[in-house]
Amino acid sequence: MKKTIIQLHSQYTTGTVDPRIFGGFLEHMGRAVYEGVYDPKSAHADKNGFRTDVLNALQNMKYTAMRYPGGNFASGYHWIDGIGPREKRPVMRDLAWQSLESNQVGTDEFVHLARKMNWTPMMTVNLGTGTPEEARNWVEYCNSQTGSLYSNLRAANGSSEPYDLKLWCLGNEMDGPWQLGHVPANQYAIRAQQTAKLMKDTDPGLELVVCGSSGIDLPTYMEWDRVVLEYIGDLADYISLHRYVGNPNGDSLDFLAVTNSIDKQIEEMDAVCRYVQARNQSKKRHYLCFDEWNVWYRARRAEHMDGRGTFAPHLIEEEYNLEDALVIAGFLNSFIRHADVVKIANIAQIVNVIAPILTRGDEMLLQTIYYPFLMYAPRRDGMALLPIVNGPGYTSPSYGYVNNIDASAILGDGELHIFTVNRSLNQSAPVEINYGGGKISSLKSAELLTGDSSQTQNTFEQPGQITNQPFKAVTIREGIANFEMPPLSIVALTFNLD
Ligand code: AHR
């Protein structure tokens, strides 16, 4: 394959990379909470019932913001059911996933877990069946000094000090007809505005995410966002967007080009934010919170989403392959390239439910999509650079023209981090990094992720088929770096700069 040249310049920055784009999402759904992170009966359980094997694996991924407790679950959840003595907590029917919720994990357990894991809690209030006042009461429970009803309740449950949770979502996917309590945009806008006002009156330091379009195919795409943002105005800080992608036709090259469409979705949402800012004549700029994203298409039939009235059912347990890992890297590249507007992003989800980690009894499996996080997370600090990529490419039927190589770059402290994906199914790709405004002096570290076929998976029987490996085949001459990427691969590199 002809060489791909990636041109970068230290002055061509797009914005500081917000570490919160490496966020996760833990929903009370299927076996995410119960049997996933929390399983007091497991041989791996710590004294609080959390699975230490799963927590250790999650720790390596260095998640930042952790969205909780849903998802669709949040739209029927009453937080008060999940606090207080465990034996008194009610078992509730969860209508979103037709499951039983035992409430053995609730706000206090989640905050305890988040602290242990160094996550920033990102709480989603119930704007489906809940009220603005219920949401406000939750903020009081979490953030107010003792001396009032809900803050005293928190103290009675073990924490006299406020939890000080600053990041909150005003409901979940309220644009979707599947959502409990779904309403048209103008009605959600009123609900969200009232809730935001009460929540910020309770704690003025909150950062709020308002529900935006949960998919690009919905008839209300963009118009929902305009209506909601215009009405809520300065009370919201971020607008959410969601995206699940897949390869239902088995066309891997087409699938790998989906990154084009992710870029486009981000740019379209940003266009609405800018339009509304101008139209409202506001100084406030709304930023993007990509708070659900992943590959999800195999486990998507009705039977995968129906818990049949049981506790911790197997729901949407997608099994991932090599090409999915490349698409995950493509999402991360897109977020980095748009660091000026994407401030938060949460892969959905973190364990068992469309997740990098699967459990089976006391066993644990690290799926292919686990590994891109190990490659990106240690290299995420700094300013995103604008990569100009010149090289061979192809036209995908669904997403248009793409380069064979997808790339992003971050300028750190005396270091340059490069992330590249070779979309080619069968050709290796020579890549040159041409960095202006500074000089690449040496390679600090690099890793490669690849495999024999786009369909290769890690399984409980054959675990470690796809993992990241050290990558040494990099040459540097006169400040220019060259390396060769195998077909279907991800490379992450850190260079020392002069
Ligand atoms: O992540 C699974 C589900 O997908 C979430 O609960 C919902 O918000 C989305 O539709």
Side-chain angles (χ1 to χ4, degrees), residues 25 27 29 71-72 97 172-173 178 242 244 292 296 316 348-349 354:
F25 172 33
E27 177 164 9
M29 171 181 185
N72 295 345
W97 303 112
N172 173 72
E173 291 191 347
W178 59 87
H242 291 179
Y244 293 105
E292 286 186 35
W296 175 24
I316 62 168
Q349 299 192 14
I354 44 172

Side-chain angles (χ1 to χ4, degrees), residues 197-497:
K197 165 105 175 57
L198 291 183
M199 290 170 74
K200 283 198 170 172
D201 283 349
T202 306
D203 181 348
L206 298 188
E207 285 194 294
L208 299 181
V209 183
V210 72
C211 287
S213 286
S214 55
I216 58 169
D217 296 328
L218 285 169
T220 51
Y221 180 58
M222 297 286 94
E223 182 59 7
W224 169 281
D225 309 85
R226 178 192 69 75
V227 170
V228 167
L229 281 178
E230 274 188 14
Y231 189 78
I232 199 163
D234 295 2
L235 277 170
D237 302 281
Y238 307 97
I239 184 157
S240 72
L241 56 162
H242 291 179
R243 187 72 182 272
Y244 293 105
V245 299
N247 183 13
N249 302 323
D251 183 342
S252 299
L253 272 184
D254 193 40
F255 181 40
L256 290 165
V258 72
T259 328
N260 260 4
S261 169
I262 297 157
D263 286 342
K264 184 162 171 277
Q265 185 181 359
I266 290 171
E267 286 155 22
E268 287 168 348
M269 281 293 276
D270 182 47
V272 179
C273 292
R274 287 174 193 251
Y275 169 83
V276 171
Q277 184 184 9
R279 173 113 177 116
N280 283 4
Q281 299 193 354
S282 169
K283 289 202 166 58
K284 176 98 183 173
R285 178 96 161 73
H286 294 112
Y287 292 105
L288 307 189
C289 174
F290 215 127
D291 56 17
E292 286 186 35
W293 65 271
N294 203 343
V295 174
W296 175 24
Y297 66 105
R298 304 168 184 96
R300 210 162 176 160
R301 288 193 303 278
E303 79 226 43
H304 296 114
M305 304 202 227
D306 183 348
R308 296 177 183 80
T310 61
F311 173 70
H314 286 253
L315 296 179
I316 62 168
E317 299 199 0
E318 192 93 3
E319 291 171 13
Y320 292 105
N321 60 25
L322 174 61
E323 70 184 19
D324 298 328
L326 267 62
V327 168
I328 294 303
F331 267 103
L332 295 174
N333 282 346
S334 181
F335 301 155
I336 293 167
R337 283 195 292 265
H338 294 93
D340 53 334
V341 294
V342 181
K343 301 296 176 186
I344 306 166
N346 309 72
I347 186 172
Q349 299 192 14
I350 60 169
V351 57
N352 285 333
V353 172
I354 44 172
I357 298 172
L358 279 177
T359 63
R360 184 172 75 180
D362 280 340
E363 293 174 275
M364 181 184 71
L365 175 68
L366 304 177
Q367 300 220 63
T368 58
I369 65 166
Y370 177 81
Y371 292 95
F373 285 87
L374 298 195
M375 299 165 77
Y376 280 67
R379 300 184 165 91
R380 69 183 174 212
D381 291 337
M383 296 286 288
L385 298 181
L386 180 71
I388 308 296
V389 180
N390 277 303
Y394 62 94
T395 301
S396 119
S398 309
Y399 309 110
Y401 184 83
V402 284
N403 292 307
N404 279 353
I405 302 295
D406 185 61
S408 68
I410 299 175
L411 180 60
D413 189 8
E415 298 176 340
L416 176 65
H417 309 294
I418 308 283
F419 309 98
T420 50
V421 176
N422 181 8
R423 295 180 165 111
S424 172
L425 308 183
N426 42 32
Q427 281 186 277
S428 60
V431 178
E432 177 173 309
I433 307 293
N434 211 317
Y435 174 64
K439 198 169 162 206
I440 292 174
S441 63
S442 58
L443 181 71
K444 186 175 180 192
S445 62
E447 285 111 53
L448 164 76
L449 182 129
T450 190
D452 292 343
S453 133
S454 61
Q455 303 306 305
T456 308
Q457 300 183 345
N458 293 338
T459 63
F460 281 98
E461 289 63 42
Q462 286 187 290
Q465 300 233 87
I466 306 285
T467 61
N468 58 320
Q469 306 291 331
F471 182 61
K472 296 225 162 49
V474 182
T475 60
I476 300 169
R477 248 177 244 122
E478 293 173 16
I480 293 176
N482 275 277
F483 54 93
E484 179 119 354
M485 297 186 70
L488 288 166
S489 67
I490 308 170
V491 167
L493 317 101
T494 300
F495 296 105
N496 294 309
L497 299 175

Side-chain angles (χ1 to χ4, degrees), residues 90-161:
V91 173
M92 301 296 284
R93 279 192 60 190
D94 159 33
L95 299 183
W97 303 112
Q98 290 298 338
S99 306
L100 283 184
E101 171 54 50
S102 69
N103 283 302
Q104 291 304 290
V105 172
T107 305
D108 301 295
E109 291 78 20
F110 175 66
V111 171
H112 167 89
L113 176 64
R115 287 182 173 172
K116 184 182 165 80
M117 300 296 287
N118 207 18
W119 296 335
T120 301
M122 182 173 168
M123 311 301 281
T124 303
V125 302
N126 174 355
L127 286 195
T129 65
T131 63
E133 190 173 31
E134 178 184 5
R136 182 225 79 82
N137 294 345
W138 201 7
V139 176
E140 179 180 314
Y141 182 84
C142 293
N143 289 2
S144 295
Q145 294 292 342
T146 51
S148 59
L149 175 63
Y150 295 104
S151 56
N152 284 353
L153 253 182
R154 180 194 66 240
N157 291 334
S159 181
S160 54
E161 281 306 306

